[in-house]
Amino acid sequence: MTVPRSLRLGSRSLTLDRPRLMGILNLTPDSFSDGGRFDSIASALAQARRLRDEGADLIDLGGESTRPGAEPVSLAEERRRVLPVLEACLAELDLPISVDTSKPQLMAEAIDLGAAMINDVNAFHAPGAWAAVVDHPQVALVLMHRQGTAQTMQDQPRYEAVSDEVIAFLESRAEDAQAQGIASPRLVFDPGFGFGKTLAHNLQLLHDMPRLVATLGTVLVGLSRKSMFAHLLGERPPEQRVAASVQAALLAVQGGAAILRVHDVAQTREALSLLAAVEGSA
Ligand code: HH2
């Protein structure tokens, strides 16, 4: 699989000649890292501006936490959290906006408002999910792998060979997308770090990043502040996992990952600049 050189994001095109940063903006009371911090349109917009100023190439808005044990959120509540902030961001920021949702109705409404990407941690499994996105070729789609639901995923995840299974799952979702009439350049693949994976599974996936990229094409990774770093380095709250997250992001980029979903845009941007400078001096 040749990695596409660019990704269409609404009216824009994002070239993938260098790693791109997706800044995380969670509009939830209970997200594991930034839950409860952006509960008004003004505070969310201020954070979106900050992510942009720090160098985000796009912003991912989420209205439902996916952390292990999180309670599902109703459509009405997720709409209430996400849509006004989406509108405000589209009106004020000159950046593509992604919406992190698994609900087809919210996907459709977000696209109507102008979302450039739909990021679905359930890989468009919900009935009606493909239908919500098929007629919008300008919208990119993130398909993520997971094992189990938010309630069950960290119980005892098991794989024979984690990378092979993640690749096979994502390839089969891509075939499903194509069968529904969705063109493959729209698709972005995510191995789903921490979603039904032990520390060993997460490390194996990071190690196998070149194979994932060679097989799947455009790969997005979400490693930022995840509990795998607490398991590896000792218990610590999410804000003390930044250095490890940045290191892991660099490893993913060296393995060919195209897009990094991060809380800490400024720190990750600096590390990427260093990497680019070193590579440029070769
Ligand atoms: N991780 C989270 C949420 N959405 N989407 C993709 N594509 N990949 C990820 O790894 C991913 C994701 C979890 O992180 P966060 O949004 O910070 O927390 P929460 O789910 O608690 O809101």
Side-chain angles (χ1 to χ4, degrees), residues 1 33 42 90 107 109 127 184 186 238:
M1 164 79 64
S33 179
L90 289 168
M107 293 176 186
E109 290 180 53
S184 52
R186 294 177 65 187

Side-chain angles (χ1 to χ4, degrees), residues 64 98 148 158 201 243:
E64 177 175 29
S98 160
R158 274 174 205 279
H201 297 139

Side-chain angles (χ1 to χ4, degrees), residues 26 31-32 65-66 100 119 144 190 195 222 226 261 263:
N26 282 317
S31 286
F32 79 94
S65 173
T66 56
D100 185 344
N119 171 24
M144 198 194 80
D190 183 344
F195 285 83
K226 287 202 170 157
R261 183 181 181 277
H263 300 89

Side-chain angles (χ1 to χ4, degrees), residues 40-83:
S40 69
I41 298 179
S43 62
L45 197 52
Q47 176 66 1
R49 281 198 203 98
R50 196 172 125 208
L51 294 169
R52 176 200 60 192
D53 294 345
E54 290 181 355
D57 297 292
L58 70 162
I59 291 177
D60 191 37
L61 300 181
E64 177 175 29
S65 173
T66 56
R67 79 188 150 71
E71 288 298 323
V73 169
S74 70
L75 171 64
E77 178 59 14
E78 201 176 329
R79 291 179 78 241
R80 189 192 68 74
R81 293 177 185 176
V82 172
L83 295 181

Side-chain angles (χ1 to χ4, degrees), residues 258-275:
I259 305 175
L260 305 168
R261 183 181 181 277
V262 300
H263 300 89
D264 304 290
V265 171
Q267 292 90 331
T268 315
R269 177 61 73 207
E270 284 192 354
L272 289 176
S273 301
L274 175 63
L275 181 65

Side-chain angles (χ1 to χ4, degrees), residues 36 39 79 90 113 148 166 168 205-206 212 220 225 258 269:
D39 56 0
R79 291 179 78 241
L90 289 168
L113 287 175
V166 165
L205 285 165
L206 195 50
L212 269 76
L220 177 150
R225 299 187 175 195
R269 177 61 73 207

